[in-house]
Amino acid sequence: MVQENRYHQQLLQTMVYHRDRLGRIIQKDSHWADNTHSESSRYFYDKLSRVTRAHNAHSEIRLSYNSEGLLAKEQFHSMLDAFQHW
């Protein structure tokens, strides 16, 4: 776990990064010092340690790769929209 503190518009924002046993970031938690906002993002990987999915309370992204290991497809879904963008 790694913690990072930074100021944004004169408010302290703390981010905590959680890693799996391979060292990949699997979760990022952000909290504001005035307790008005917090957010958590999760990250998922394939067997080759490529990001395949990431999501938070607002959106989700899915990534797929071709046989050469290059990004082949990106799918975005907004949790705030009534319509899906799959």
Side-chain angles (χ1 to χ4, degrees):
M1 184 170 63
V2 174
Q3 180 173 316
E4 174 186 347
N5 296 314
R6 70 169 98 162
Y7 285 91
H8 179 71
Q9 298 177 350
Q10 299 183 358
L11 287 174
L12 178 64
Q13 180 185 19
T14 300
M15 289 172 286
V16 178
Y17 298 92
H18 304 268
R19 297 180 181 271
D20 64 12
R21 58 186 171 83
L22 298 176
R24 303 173 298 195
I25 295 173
I26 56 171
Q27 184 170 328
K28 179 180 86 170
D29 299 319
S30 300
H31 306 281
W32 295 94
D34 62 356
N35 292 320
T36 59
H37 182 73
S38 66
E39 185 174 286
S40 183
S41 298
R42 299 264 315 169
Y43 305 91
F44 300 87
Y45 301 86
D46 64 11
K47 293 177 184 178
L48 299 176
S49 292
R50 299 175 297 199
V51 175
T52 57
R53 187 165 65 104
H55 71 83
N56 59 28
H58 308 291
S59 61
E60 178 178 11
I61 189 167
R62 292 183 185 205
L63 306 170
S64 58
Y65 303 86
N66 65 20
S67 60
E68 297 173 349
L70 301 175
L71 182 62
K73 188 173 183 182
E74 179 180 310
Q75 296 174 301
F76 175 80
H77 172 73
S78 174
M79 307 296 190
L80 303 177
D81 290 344
F83 302 102
Q84 292 189 8
H85 302 285
W86 296 115

